[in-house]
Amino acid sequence: MKSPKRICCIGAGYVGGPTMAMIAAKCPDIRVDVVDINEARVAAWNTDELPVYEPGLLEVVKEARGRNLFFSTKTDEAIVDADIIFVSVGTPTKTYGMGAGRAADLCYIESAARMIARVARGPKIIVEKSTIPVRTAVAMRAILSANSEEGKFQVLSNPEFLAEGTAVEDLENPDRILIGGERTPEGDAAVETLVSVYNRWIPRENILTTNLWSSELSKLVANAFLAQRISSINSISALCEATEADVDEVARAIGADSRIGPKFLKASVGFGGSCFQKDILNLTYLCEHFGLPEVAAYWDQVIKMNDWQKSRFSANIVQTLFNTVRDKRIAVWGFAFKKDTNDTRESAAIYVCRDLLLEGAQIALYDPRVPVQLIHQELQYAGVSQDIIDQQLTICASCEEAADGAHAVAILTEWDEFRDVDFEQMYASMFKPAFVFDGRDLVDHSQLREIGFEVYAIGKG
Ligand SMILES: NC(=O)C1=CN([C@@H]2O[C@H](COP(=O)(O)OP(=O)(O)OC[C@H]3O[C@@H](n4cnc5c(N)ncnc54)[C@H](O)[C@@H]3O)[C@@H](O)[C@H]2O)C=CC1
Ligand SMILES: O=C(O)[C@H]1O[C@H](OP(=O)(O)OP(=O)(O)OC[C@H]2O[C@@H](n3ccc(=O)[nH]c3=O)[C@H](O)[C@@H]2O)[C@H](O)[C@@H](O)[C@@H]1O
């Protein structure tokens, strides 16, 4: 097996950037070119203000950047010389035409495949890094072979399992690497070439190899199972509130059973992120396509439960604040979909803020990492008019500033710094009764009650 000398990755996003940085750091003898059509993004990768906020990422990037890691917009040049080409472009939910609102939009995948076919010379291994519907490799192969005279392509599936906020840790020490390939001698050889790259730092027994379709499907299924655990515990959080059981105690009790396990049982205001919802929608669409409506309905419920969890949180704020939040200042802490990331895609905070703004509330919002423009953009996309944003949303520089003069605080992201607030002082600065709605079970509720706060927390009776 020939060891690869050059790797190219199309797409310098949350996955392409960090994944390639780790490969470059671990394989100094391989040149890694990460290319993107988004010039601003590429420019940011070449500074110390990376476009993706991830703890520890800058150090990894700095170790390899300029040595064997390069970010550029020169896609053709990077493709032509690469032995392995990762495709790590977005696969968002389609917003138009057939399958709108459910199917994955494969237009970026197709454009990447056509770009490769146009410029590639000689044999190449094409790696699907993006999350795609099962059997996408058939389309990739068809586009590649029909549009290239000189290229010989092996298409592999190598889905990414990193979670945002812990990307560096997940890439350095993953539970497993999954590689799917065609079960032919050429397919096996391509799989082994990719295995040899990961095997530089990941033990061979943690690198699973399967057929193409199992690998493509496993990614959607892994996300569906993870999201399903959150919706399951969130459904129980509502029952806990009605019965005075405590959802964290229930999670601990069931998670101690090794068959269930303790992870991903943290009740919350609802899961967000770019992938859980999109991948389940994609899975249900596929099930329907393959004539399995019962299977589709089963997984659909995970999303319905999540939507309900978000809307019941905002409804509870309105009801608790005496059925009106009109002109009341409500401090919102956190807009990112989880801590340690600046990503806001599908964040529960978008929907809670939207509901409250449409009820006439004045929102005073603080998030340590999310830029103002992104907050505006997300709210507009969720249906809040620019007028409402201008008149009812204030972006604050700290938790304390947001809470000053507020009727309530809603904690929507579990940033560690939210625990360190001087709650006595904050209480003094708020309207009374002063409410805290903890969507993450983050702060010490008994301490807050002692101070005088009225506290509502997910899953606590
Ligand atoms: N964000 C995450 O944590 C994870 C995402 N994934 C999957 O990875 C894929 C990528 O996700 P993200 O990195 O979050 O997306 P992203 O939107 O951050 O990045 C995708 C990049 O691809 C670029 N692009 C699109 N078409 C291109 C083309 N023809 N040539 C060059 N560049 C092109 C875009 O400009 C963009 O910068 C998706 O399929 C996603 O489902 C998988 C695991 C984790
Ligand atoms: O395909 C993807 O994009 C990735 O999706 C998730 O990663 P990510 O969305 O970055 O972050 P998670 O840690 O999974 O959190 C997702 C959402 O669920 C919420 N969550 C998570 C865990 C939990 O117990 N409770 C809970 O509410 C988080 O707050 C967050 O809003 C998966 O964990 C990754 O394995 C996968 O690669």
Side-chain angles (χ1 to χ4, degrees):
M1 177 193 46
K2 221 177 81 204
S3 154
K5 290 197 173 50
R6 289 184 74 140
I7 288 177
C8 159
C9 175
I10 303 177
Y14 281 86
V15 169
T19 313
M20 292 304 121
M22 185 58 73
I23 291 182
K26 298 292 182 185
C27 313
D29 55 313
I30 300 179
R31 178 184 164 113
V32 181
D33 286 282
V34 191
V35 291
D36 204 297
I37 43 178
N38 183 333
E39 284 178 17
R41 217 167 202 189
V42 167
W45 279 112
N46 284 315
T47 69
D48 287 354
E49 293 291 318
L50 303 182
V52 168
Y53 174 70
E54 279 292 339
L57 180 61
L58 183 60
E59 288 72 25
V60 179
V61 169
K62 276 180 147 175
E63 185 185 337
R65 195 171 54 194
R67 177 189 72 186
N68 64 325
L69 174 66
F70 301 92
F71 294 94
S72 86
T73 51
K74 295 180 183 157
T75 42
D76 288 9
E77 284 171 35
I79 289 169
V80 81
D81 291 321
D83 305 303
I84 302 178
I85 302 168
F86 285 84
V87 177
S88 186
V89 296
T91 48
T93 305
K94 248 183 117 177
T95 53
Y96 54 88
M98 275 162 58
R102 313 195 75 193
D105 191 341
L106 297 178
C107 68
Y108 305 107
I109 292 278
E110 174 157 352
S111 80
R114 286 184 185 276
M115 223 155 74
I116 298 169
R118 185 168 48 78
V119 288
R121 304 274 172 275
K124 309 246 178 259
I125 297 173
I126 314 301
V127 184
E128 300 169 338
K129 189 50 130 175
S130 303
T131 303
I132 29 86
V134 58
R135 298 200 73 81
T136 299
V138 175
M140 287 278 272
R141 262 200 310 246
I143 294 166
L144 289 166
S145 53
N147 290 283
S148 172
E149 281 162 20
E150 293 180 52
K152 271 196 186 159
F153 305 100
Q154 275 301 319
V155 178
L156 302 182
S157 157
N158 170 221
E160 184 49 57
F161 296 102
L162 69 78
E164 288 179 28
T166 53
V168 172
E169 224 173 289
D170 296 341
L171 289 167
E172 185 132 43
N173 192 17
D175 286 350
R176 80 310 206 179
I177 291 291
L178 178 59
I179 302 173
E182 208 182 354
R183 289 274 153 91
T184 58
E186 297 79 15
D188 290 344
V191 167
E192 281 313 310
T193 302
L194 189 54
V195 167
S196 76
V197 174
Y198 286 112
N199 198 201
R200 307 278 191 102
W201 78 99
I202 294 159
R204 182 63 184 87
E205 61 273 22
N206 293 357
I207 305 177
L208 310 183
T209 59
T210 64
N211 79 27
L212 264 170
W213 323 125
S214 310
S215 174
E216 290 182 337
L217 183 57
S218 296
K219 173 62 196 178
L220 294 182
V221 175
N223 274 356
F225 268 61
L226 289 168
Q228 182 244 19
R229 278 175 73 95
I230 304 169
S231 276
S232 295
I233 199 69
N234 280 345
S235 73
I236 299 304
S237 73
L239 190 56
C240 287
E241 288 160 34
T243 58
E244 294 189 20
D246 177 320
V247 75
D248 285 333
E249 290 181 355
V250 174
R252 198 168 75 234
I254 63 167
D257 184 326
S258 60
R259 293 169 302 174
I260 296 175
K263 295 185 180 166
F264 263 70
L265 288 179
K266 183 71 190 158
S268 67
V269 56
F271 61 74
S274 63
C275 293
F276 280 172
Q277 173 165 309
K278 135 176 119 58
D279 291 350
I280 294 176
L281 288 169
N282 188 352
L283 185 68
T284 60
Y285 184 74
L286 281 171
C287 292
E288 273 166 13
H289 171 81
F290 287 106
L292 301 166
E294 291 80 4
V295 184
Y298 175 78
W299 289 106
D300 239 2
Q301 200 54 37
V302 173
I303 294 177
K304 288 198 178 120
M305 180 53 60
N306 196 48
D307 287 340
W308 183 68
Q309 187 76 349
K310 291 181 277 191
S311 61
R312 108 183 160 84
F313 190 82
S314 27
N316 184 43
I317 295 180
V318 177
Q319 279 153 21
T320 311
L321 293 184
F322 317 109
N323 288 311
T324 177
V325 291
R326 199 182 158 89
D327 295 332
K328 287 182 181 165
R329 180 172 170 109
I330 298 180
V332 167
W333 290 0
F335 199 77
F337 81 98
K338 62 188 280 198
K339 73 171 179 176
D340 291 341
T341 176
N342 58 353
D343 196 345
T344 55
R345 291 178 287 183
E346 287 304 325
S347 177
I350 301 169
Y351 302 98
V352 174
C353 288
R354 177 200 59 192
D355 292 352
L356 296 174
L357 287 168
L358 296 183
E359 285 288 328
Q362 289 290 330
I363 300 275
L365 194 152
Y366 169 64
D367 186 288
R369 287 281 168 192
V370 178
V372 182
Q373 317 85 276
L374 193 52
I375 296 170
H376 285 204
Q377 199 179 306
E378 289 284 21
L379 289 171
Q380 275 173 346
Y381 194 67
V384 183
S385 69
Q386 188 61 49
D387 272 359
I388 292 186
I389 293 174
D390 291 343
Q391 287 160 25
Q392 294 173 228
L393 178 72
T394 312
I395 306 296
C396 300
S398 67
C399 290
E400 292 82 357
E401 185 188 327
D404 191 13
H407 290 259
V409 171
I411 303 176
L412 302 183
T413 310
E414 73 282 22
W415 289 102
D416 291 332
E417 66 175 76
F418 297 169
R419 288 200 182 92
D420 301 333
V421 168
D422 181 337
F423 287 102
E424 303 241 14
Q425 225 171 55
M426 182 178 113
Y427 182 72
S429 76
M430 288 177 67
F431 267 90
K432 309 295 176 322
F435 295 91
V436 171
F437 297 88
D438 189 350
R440 296 290 183 166
D441 285 343
L442 186 76
V443 291
D444 182 342
H445 303 144
S446 41
Q447 186 212 345
L448 292 189
R449 289 196 179 99
E450 266 169 37
I451 295 173
F453 285 101
E454 303 271 340
V455 182
Y456 164 83
I458 297 276
K460 311 280 172 168

